[in-house]
Amino acid sequence: MEIPQILTGKAAIVTGGVRGIGRAISEAFAKAGADLILTTTRDKSACGEVLDHLRSFGGRVELLKLNVSDKTEVAAQLPEAVTAFGGVDILVNNAGITRDGLMLRMSEQDWDEVLAVDLKSAFNTVQAVLPFMSRKRSGSIINISSVVGLTGNAGQCNYAAAKAGLIGMSKSLAREMGPRGIRTNCIAPGFICTDMTAKLPEQMAQDWKNRVALRRLGTPEDVAGVALFLASDLSAYVNGEVIGCTGCM
Ligand code: NAI
């Protein structure tokens, strides 16, 4: 798809930006002219190909090896990277994990890990970037929630709680920081084909597909299009919203 240069001169952070939905968002932003600070939990050397591809669009791309659920790590690395970029305009909290299981048998570890990576990480990154956005009196924060944060889903109490928490946090932040020109919105994707969903049984994917009006599962690029809109000035008056990307379930 042809992407217009609507992020020229902007710098964006995308957590988990080298894989799946995060990678598609990074690519859309790079094509739109943005500079990128990406995070991964993998070895940086394993990401060379993705980085070369993203850099081929002409912008600056830096990769941080960072566990976004660790406040100390985030506070130590993110502000330094942002300072080196001369500020930041867009933050996408995309990193996420699932540890599915029924509540009756869910381990405390599976609860805590999902809440840490899918919810607390946003607290960590937002606190790291807000001083920069606040000084500029502008910014767009995009939190990747999920449709299950709105509807719930059997077997995903931990994940749904984290994703619903992200929505509550975003709506509150939108009110707190709106007066400073900082917008915060969520995207609530449905079933998107990535490594995260590849491990689910084939029958489950088929059942989801049958429930989608468009009769297809989503792609990372479908979500990236919404993120691009929210990151750019095209959405200048959109704040505190949750935009679904489900094909109409
Ligand atoms: P994925 O598993 O392909 O990618 C997840 C990314 O998060 C990876 O880049 C991984 O390195 C990163 N990550 C995981 N733990 C991390 C940590 N502690 N610190 C830093 N990065 C970490 O999954 P996918 O599908 O691309 O998911 C991206 C986001 O979209 C997640 O927040 C997910 O919950 C959300 N989502 C996905 C849906 C789907 O159907 N695939 C549906 C709704 C929401």
Side-chain angles (χ1 to χ4, degrees):
M1 193 200 302
E2 193 75 20
I3 290 186
Q5 295 274 302
I6 50 178
L7 298 182
T8 304
K10 307 238 185 204
I13 298 168
V14 185
T15 68
V18 291
R19 202 175 92 186
I21 292 172
R23 181 188 166 146
I25 292 173
S26 300
E27 183 163 333
F29 285 9
K31 285 180 177 168
D35 292 326
L36 297 171
I37 300 171
L38 310 178
T39 79
T40 183
T41 44
R42 279 194 292 173
D43 230 22
K44 280 199 200 181
S45 56
C47 305
E49 205 179 303
V50 188
L51 296 185
D52 288 347
H53 178 64
L54 293 173
R55 287 184 182 125
S56 73
F57 299 105
R60 184 171 170 190
V61 183
E62 292 295 332
L63 180 66
L64 306 178
K65 185 168 179 343
L66 184 59
N67 175 3
V68 286
S69 67
D70 185 323
K71 179 110 170 81
T72 312
E73 259 187 53
V74 172
Q77 290 197 48
L78 214 47
E80 194 181 323
V82 170
T83 302
F85 267 58
V88 65
D89 304 281
I90 302 151
L91 166 66
V92 184
N93 283 307
N94 163 78
I97 56 168
T98 51
R99 297 280 184 271
D100 296 352
L102 296 175
M103 189 62 152
L104 257 178
R105 288 194 291 268
M106 185 175 289
S107 69
E108 186 179 355
Q109 187 183 354
D110 283 352
W111 175 270
D112 287 345
E113 274 182 22
V114 168
L115 269 288
V117 178
D118 294 13
L119 179 59
K120 191 183 172 204
S121 61
F123 166 71
N124 297 340
T125 56
V126 166
Q127 280 207 329
V129 306
L130 269 188
F132 295 93
M133 289 185 172
S134 212
R135 233 173 282 141
K136 258 192 172 177
R137 291 195 157 264
S138 80
S140 174
I141 297 171
I142 302 164
N143 292 323
I144 309 297
S145 178
S146 166
V147 70
V148 310
L150 295 166
T151 62
N153 194 25
Q156 291 197 308
C157 284
N158 49 359
Y159 184 73
K163 295 299 189 181
L166 211 44
I167 291 172
M169 190 202 94
S170 302
K171 285 182 175 284
S172 304
L173 192 63
R175 288 172 188 271
E176 266 182 45
M177 299 312 294
R180 289 232 155 210
I182 300 167
R183 301 182 292 110
T184 309
N185 294 286
C186 280
I187 304 176
F191 195 117
I192 310 297
C193 298
T194 65
D195 289 349
M196 183 179 273
T197 45
K199 58 191 177 200
L200 298 172
E202 176 59 30
Q203 189 54 47
M204 191 183 280
Q206 193 56 46
D207 290 346
W208 275 77
K209 196 162 144 184
N210 292 336
R211 287 158 58 198
V212 172
L214 289 178
R215 290 293 184 272
R216 69 170 177 88
L217 299 175
T219 65
E221 290 71 27
D222 289 326
V223 182
V226 185
L228 185 59
F229 165 69
L230 288 174
S232 77
D233 293 340
L234 290 174
S235 58
Y237 203 53
V238 180
N239 187 28
E241 302 292 347
V242 181
I243 302 189
C245 184
T246 66
C248 185
M249 274 171 50

